[in-house]
Amino acid sequence: AAAVRRRFGVDFPLAVMFRHPTVAAQAAFLATAARVAPPPPADAGEILELSPVQQRLAVLQRITPEATVYNMPTAFLIEGPLDVDRLEAAFAAVIARHEALRTAVVGENGESRQRVHAAVPFAVERLQPAAADATTADLHALVARFIRPFDPAVAPLLRVGVVPLAPGRHVVVIDLHHLVADGVSMAVLVRDFT
């Protein structure tokens, strides 16, 4: 639905797909549907409402603050030289470009709200295996320790870590909280970064 809205400027909820089950019917709907303007960018510091899904996630995070079930980790093997300072600068630029990555979830009058910050601190974590001849199990344990609970009130709800395996071989681990990302936005992040 979000991709259709971005591409065609039309709200396209799931119910529309059921009412217009063929591609031809959906195309006809898109051709005649009222256009909607994209939401304006949030002003830095502005307090905004959470979506219903974000509200549920915020409640669950408050109930179990130590949980990582709503973390969205992913890892990439990078072969070739890796300049970690440039990697950090690239992620900082992506964070600056995307409001969601500068968003924190804060309590406001007893309810969770989101606050978009103008800028947030960010640093790539340099993760070191305990031994130069670390096993796959050692690396899995290192990555598991990297994936830890987020404090939703502290943006960014994103972490990036780098594990050197050998000269010219690194693992880059990205961990996002589901409050500020989903599968679609994770794909946008990867596309933006590459």
Side-chain angles (χ1 to χ4, degrees):
V4 171
R5 182 181 181 134
R6 275 192 306 276
R7 175 101 164 102
F8 298 101
V10 172
D11 279 330
F12 195 74
L14 189 58
V16 169
M17 291 177 63
F18 288 111
R19 285 195 305 266
H20 306 279
T22 66
V23 172
Q26 290 173 9
F29 171 82
L30 290 173
T32 60
R35 301 293 180 235
V36 293
D43 293 327
E46 186 177 357
I47 302 291
L48 305 168
E49 289 190 17
L50 296 175
S51 72
V53 171
Q54 287 175 310
Q55 289 172 8
R56 285 190 294 276
L57 289 171
V59 167
L60 292 169
Q61 184 69 41
R62 269 197 314 271
I63 292 170
T64 56
E66 72 286 349
T68 59
V69 69
Y70 294 108
N71 288 36
M72 299 174 56
T74 191
F76 300 93
L77 176 63
I78 306 293
E79 295 192 355
L82 178 65
D83 182 334
V84 178
D85 292 331
R86 289 182 69 191
L87 176 76
E88 188 171 272
F91 268 100
V94 169
I95 290 168
R97 188 170 30 256
H98 294 285
E99 290 176 351
L101 298 177
R102 299 187 321 274
T103 297
V105 176
V106 296
E108 181 78 13
N109 299 325
E111 293 187 28
S112 293
R113 299 275 191 250
Q114 53 187 327
R115 173 177 285 144
V116 178
H117 296 275
V120 294
F122 175 78
V124 169
E125 296 181 34
R126 281 122 169 120
L127 309 171
Q128 292 296 327
D133 60 346
T135 65
T136 300
D138 295 332
L139 294 173
H140 282 248
L142 181 63
V143 170
R145 285 192 303 277
F146 173 78
I147 300 165
R148 56 195 185 277
F150 283 97
D151 177 354
V154 180
L157 299 180
L158 161 75
R159 289 188 196 100
V160 178
V162 173
V163 182
L165 301 177
R169 279 179 61 93
H170 298 79
V171 172
V172 175
V173 186
I174 302 169
D175 192 14
L176 277 160
H177 197 287
H178 198 27
L179 277 165
V180 297
D182 58 16
V184 172
S185 56
M186 181 67 113
V188 170
L189 173 67
V190 169
R191 185 186 71 230
D192 228 21
F193 180 72
T194 54

